[in-house]
Short mmCIF file of all heavy atoms in Angstrom, two decimals:
data_model
loop_
_atom_site.label_atom_id
_atom_site.label_comp_id
_atom_site.label_asym_id
_atom_site.label_seq_id
_atom_site.Cartn_x
_atom_site.Cartn_y
_atom_site.Cartn_z
N TRP Y 31 -36.89 -119.89 14.48
CA TRP Y 31 -38.22 -119.35 14.62
C TRP Y 31 -38.25 -118.04 13.78
O TRP Y 31 -37.45 -117.11 13.99
CB TRP Y 31 -38.41 -118.98 16.10
CG TRP Y 31 -39.73 -118.38 16.51
CD1 TRP Y 31 -40.21 -117.12 16.21
CD2 TRP Y 31 -40.73 -118.96 17.30
NE1 TRP Y 31 -41.39 -116.93 16.79
CE2 TRP Y 31 -41.73 -117.99 17.46
CE3 TRP Y 31 -40.84 -120.25 17.94
CZ2 TRP Y 31 -42.87 -118.26 18.22
CZ3 TRP Y 31 -42.01 -120.49 18.67
CH2 TRP Y 31 -43.02 -119.53 18.82
N VAL Y 32 -39.11 -118.00 12.80
CA VAL Y 32 -39.23 -116.86 11.95
C VAL Y 32 -40.60 -116.34 11.98
O VAL Y 32 -41.63 -117.06 11.79
CB VAL Y 32 -38.93 -117.22 10.45
CG1 VAL Y 32 -39.22 -116.10 9.50
CG2 VAL Y 32 -37.44 -117.62 10.33
N GLN Y 33 -40.75 -114.99 12.09
CA GLN Y 33 -42.07 -114.30 12.14
C GLN Y 33 -42.17 -113.55 10.78
O GLN Y 33 -41.41 -112.63 10.55
CB GLN Y 33 -42.25 -113.38 13.30
CG GLN Y 33 -43.58 -112.71 13.29
CD GLN Y 33 -43.68 -111.59 14.32
OE1 GLN Y 33 -44.19 -110.51 13.97
NE2 GLN Y 33 -43.14 -111.78 15.45
N LEU Y 34 -43.14 -113.97 9.96
CA LEU Y 34 -43.40 -113.24 8.69
C LEU Y 34 -44.23 -112.02 8.99
O LEU Y 34 -45.35 -112.06 9.41
CB LEU Y 34 -44.10 -114.18 7.71
CG LEU Y 34 -44.47 -113.52 6.37
CD1 LEU Y 34 -43.28 -113.02 5.54
CD2 LEU Y 34 -45.32 -114.46 5.53
N ARG Y 35 -43.61 -110.86 8.79
CA ARG Y 35 -44.28 -109.56 9.15
C ARG Y 35 -44.50 -108.75 7.88
O ARG Y 35 -43.62 -108.00 7.41
CB ARG Y 35 -43.45 -108.74 10.19
CG ARG Y 35 -44.12 -107.53 10.76
CD ARG Y 35 -43.29 -106.83 11.77
NE ARG Y 35 -44.04 -105.78 12.45
CZ ARG Y 35 -44.03 -104.51 12.01
NH1 ARG Y 35 -43.44 -104.17 10.91
NH2 ARG Y 35 -44.76 -103.58 12.66
N LEU Y 36 -45.72 -108.89 7.33
CA LEU Y 36 -46.11 -108.18 6.15
C LEU Y 36 -47.06 -107.10 6.45
O LEU Y 36 -48.02 -107.28 7.20
CB LEU Y 36 -46.68 -109.07 5.12
CG LEU Y 36 -45.76 -110.22 4.56
CD1 LEU Y 36 -46.57 -111.18 3.72
CD2 LEU Y 36 -44.63 -109.67 3.79
N LYS Y 37 -46.85 -105.86 5.97
CA LYS Y 37 -47.77 -104.73 6.27
C LYS Y 37 -48.19 -104.09 5.00
O LYS Y 37 -47.43 -104.02 4.01
CB LYS Y 37 -47.07 -103.69 7.19
CG LYS Y 37 -46.71 -104.28 8.54
CD LYS Y 37 -47.94 -104.56 9.37
CE LYS Y 37 -47.60 -105.13 10.75
NZ LYS Y 37 -48.81 -105.55 11.49
N ASN Y 38 -49.41 -103.63 5.00
CA ASN Y 38 -50.03 -102.81 3.89
C ASN Y 38 -50.00 -103.59 2.56
O ASN Y 38 -49.72 -102.99 1.47
CB ASN Y 38 -49.25 -101.47 3.74
CG ASN Y 38 -49.23 -100.68 5.02
OD1 ASN Y 38 -50.29 -100.50 5.68
ND2 ASN Y 38 -48.01 -100.22 5.40
N LEU Y 39 -50.34 -104.83 2.59
CA LEU Y 39 -50.48 -105.55 1.40
C LEU Y 39 -51.91 -106.22 1.32
O LEU Y 39 -52.56 -106.36 2.29
CB LEU Y 39 -49.43 -106.77 1.39
CG LEU Y 39 -47.95 -106.32 1.22
CD1 LEU Y 39 -47.08 -107.55 1.46
CD2 LEU Y 39 -47.71 -105.65 -0.06
N ASP Y 40 -52.32 -106.51 0.09
CA ASP Y 40 -53.69 -107.13 -0.12
C ASP Y 40 -53.60 -108.58 0.40
O ASP Y 40 -52.60 -109.23 0.43
CB ASP Y 40 -54.04 -107.06 -1.57
CG ASP Y 40 -53.14 -107.90 -2.48
OD1 ASP Y 40 -52.09 -107.36 -2.83
OD2 ASP Y 40 -53.46 -109.05 -2.71
N PRO Y 41 -54.78 -109.06 0.81
CA PRO Y 41 -54.88 -110.42 1.44
C PRO Y 41 -54.34 -111.53 0.54
O PRO Y 41 -53.71 -112.45 1.02
CB PRO Y 41 -56.37 -110.56 1.64
CG PRO Y 41 -56.90 -109.16 1.80
CD PRO Y 41 -56.09 -108.31 0.90
N LYS Y 42 -54.56 -111.41 -0.81
CA LYS Y 42 -54.10 -112.41 -1.70
C LYS Y 42 -52.57 -112.49 -1.70
O LYS Y 42 -51.96 -113.63 -1.66
CB LYS Y 42 -54.56 -112.09 -3.15
CG LYS Y 42 -54.23 -113.13 -4.18
CD LYS Y 42 -54.88 -112.85 -5.48
CE LYS Y 42 -54.57 -113.89 -6.58
NZ LYS Y 42 -53.21 -113.72 -7.07
N THR Y 43 -51.93 -111.37 -1.72
CA THR Y 43 -50.40 -111.35 -1.71
C THR Y 43 -49.90 -111.84 -0.35
O THR Y 43 -48.91 -112.63 -0.33
CB THR Y 43 -49.94 -109.90 -1.92
OG1 THR Y 43 -50.44 -109.40 -3.19
CG2 THR Y 43 -48.37 -109.86 -1.89
N VAL Y 44 -50.52 -111.57 0.73
CA VAL Y 44 -50.18 -112.06 2.07
C VAL Y 44 -50.28 -113.56 2.06
O VAL Y 44 -49.34 -114.23 2.50
CB VAL Y 44 -51.02 -111.47 3.17
CG1 VAL Y 44 -50.73 -112.14 4.55
CG2 VAL Y 44 -50.80 -109.90 3.29
N LEU Y 45 -51.34 -114.10 1.55
CA LEU Y 45 -51.50 -115.55 1.54
C LEU Y 45 -50.51 -116.21 0.67
O LEU Y 45 -49.83 -117.25 1.09
CB LEU Y 45 -52.98 -115.91 1.07
CG LEU Y 45 -53.25 -117.41 0.90
CD1 LEU Y 45 -53.09 -118.14 2.20
CD2 LEU Y 45 -54.66 -117.59 0.34
N GLU Y 46 -50.28 -115.73 -0.50
CA GLU Y 46 -49.33 -116.32 -1.43
C GLU Y 46 -47.91 -116.27 -0.87
O GLU Y 46 -47.15 -117.29 -0.94
CB GLU Y 46 -49.32 -115.65 -2.78
CG GLU Y 46 -50.55 -115.85 -3.57
CD GLU Y 46 -50.68 -115.10 -4.83
OE1 GLU Y 46 -49.85 -114.15 -5.02
OE2 GLU Y 46 -51.62 -115.31 -5.65
N THR Y 47 -47.54 -115.15 -0.20
CA THR Y 47 -46.20 -115.02 0.41
C THR Y 47 -46.09 -116.03 1.57
O THR Y 47 -45.04 -116.62 1.82
CB THR Y 47 -46.00 -113.59 0.83
OG1 THR Y 47 -46.24 -112.69 -0.23
CG2 THR Y 47 -44.56 -113.38 1.30
N ALA Y 48 -47.15 -116.05 2.34
CA ALA Y 48 -47.07 -117.05 3.49
C ALA Y 48 -46.94 -118.46 3.09
O ALA Y 48 -46.24 -119.26 3.78
CB ALA Y 48 -48.36 -116.80 4.36
N GLN Y 49 -47.60 -118.80 2.02
CA GLN Y 49 -47.50 -120.18 1.46
C GLN Y 49 -46.09 -120.49 1.09
O GLN Y 49 -45.53 -121.55 1.36
CB GLN Y 49 -48.45 -120.40 0.27
CG GLN Y 49 -49.91 -120.41 0.64
CD GLN Y 49 -50.85 -120.36 -0.49
OE1 GLN Y 49 -50.49 -119.81 -1.57
NE2 GLN Y 49 -52.04 -120.98 -0.39
N LYS Y 50 -45.42 -119.55 0.40
CA LYS Y 50 -44.05 -119.77 0.03
C LYS Y 50 -43.11 -119.73 1.25
O LYS Y 50 -42.09 -120.48 1.28
CB LYS Y 50 -43.60 -118.63 -0.98
CG LYS Y 50 -44.27 -118.70 -2.30
CD LYS Y 50 -44.05 -117.49 -3.15
CE LYS Y 50 -44.82 -117.55 -4.44
NZ LYS Y 50 -44.62 -116.28 -5.27
N ALA Y 51 -43.45 -118.90 2.21
CA ALA Y 51 -42.65 -118.89 3.43
C ALA Y 51 -42.74 -120.21 4.15
O ALA Y 51 -41.77 -120.68 4.74
CB ALA Y 51 -43.08 -117.72 4.37
N ARG Y 52 -43.96 -120.82 4.15
CA ARG Y 52 -44.14 -122.15 4.78
C ARG Y 52 -43.28 -123.15 4.12
O ARG Y 52 -42.77 -124.11 4.75
CB ARG Y 52 -45.62 -122.50 4.75
CG ARG Y 52 -45.98 -123.84 5.33
CD ARG Y 52 -45.87 -123.93 6.81
NE ARG Y 52 -44.50 -123.98 7.38
CZ ARG Y 52 -44.28 -124.17 8.70
NH1 ARG Y 52 -45.26 -124.40 9.54
NH2 ARG Y 52 -43.02 -124.26 9.08
#
Side-chain angles (χ1 to χ4, degrees):
W31 181 290
V32 170
Q33 181 191 137
L34 177 63
R35 187 177 187 272
L36 299 172
K37 296 294 179 184
N38 305 314
L39 293 173
D40 63 276
K42 183 172 181 287
T43 301
V44 171
L45 176 59
E46 290 174 352
T47 307
Q49 287 170 333
K50 292 173 184 175
R52 177 72 285 186

